[in-house]
Amino acid sequence: MKEFDPIIGYSEIKKELSQIADMMRNANEYEKLGVRLPYGLMLHGAPGVGKTLMANCLIKASGRKVFICRKDKPNGEFIKVIRDLFEEAAANAPSIVFLDDMDKFANTDTDHTYAEEYISVQSCIDQYKGRNVFVLATVNDINMLPSSLRRVGRFDRIIEVPTDRKS
């Protein structure tokens, strides 16, 4: 698929992203086969490996409207941004909520498992599940996220993007 041409290497990851995009574009055909689109996809790996590029290629290939969330507001205001973004995405479904650099959403304390930002993301994913809102996230350090956010049912597919582009 030409939308993934900007990604150099990573043939297996491109194949998987292409399959997910095809599932988004042809949801009815997959549903007839009993195949369900994952609720969400998380791309994680070291900074600079191309996670955001991969996410943008997937977004383009899907043909869906995208709602992008990057932390650019103070914590209290950012919680409202997260909630409003999911609400807008549901109103414009089928859509994608793209949580770019999600591990940067909360403060940098060593223990922020219960950070309000992550709780808001979790509750929004749960609230809008089944409403044709696909959640896509990029993460540098997956260990900064609470395990409850990384579980199946929130992010059904988690792909590690290695520094070795041959994969």
Side-chain angles (χ1 to χ4, degrees):
M1 190 177 284
K2 69 180 182 345
E3 289 86 359
F4 296 100
D5 287 349
I7 302 170
I8 307 299
Y10 298 116
S11 59
E12 290 301 313
I13 294 174
K14 286 196 289 190
K15 189 184 306 178
E16 190 164 357
L17 295 176
S18 179
Q19 178 187 32
I20 292 170
D22 190 56
M23 290 173 75
M24 284 191 230
R25 284 190 323 277
N26 301 299
N28 291 336
E29 286 78 21
Y30 283 94
E31 285 175 18
K32 289 176 189 173
L33 297 171
V35 178
R36 177 187 61 79
L37 180 67
Y39 292 118
L41 166 69
M42 183 183 299
L43 299 166
H44 75 95
V49 294
K51 299 177 299 292
T52 300
L53 173 64
M54 291 177 188
N56 285 324
C57 290
L58 174 65
I59 290 165
K60 186 176 179 182
S62 75
R64 289 185 173 200
K65 188 166 183 166
V66 65
F67 298 87
I68 300 172
C69 185
R70 292 184 182 99
K71 183 156 187 186
D72 60 356
K73 302 241 184 290
N75 290 351
E77 291 177 43
F78 187 57
I79 302 305
K80 182 172 176 8
V81 168
I82 292 169
R83 292 185 180 135
D84 290 349
L85 196 73
F86 272 89
E87 185 176 316
E88 188 177 357
N92 289 280
S95 61
I96 296 174
V97 170
F98 178 28
L99 307 168
D100 197 20
D101 279 336
M102 187 170 61
D103 54 329
K104 307 284 189 288
F105 283 14
N107 59 29
T108 57
D109 294 348
T110 56
D111 184 26
H112 56 264
T113 303
Y114 300 107
E116 190 176 9
E117 296 84 355
Y118 296 138
I119 292 170
S120 293
V121 169
Q122 288 175 192
S123 66
C124 286
I125 290 171
D126 293 345
Q127 180 179 353
Y128 293 102
K129 190 179 292 181
R131 295 180 59 188
N132 217 351
V133 175
F134 184 80
V135 182
L136 175 62
T138 59
V139 175
N140 291 329
D141 186 354
I142 196 168
N143 296 316
M144 296 295 286
L145 302 177
S147 59
S148 59
L149 185 57
R150 295 179 274 157
R151 71 170 175 77
V152 172
R154 294 197 174 117
F155 288 97
D156 292 335
R157 296 242 181 116
I158 297 178
I159 299 173
E160 181 177 2
V161 181
T163 54
D164 176 8
R165 295 178 178 267
K166 293 179 183 174
S167 60

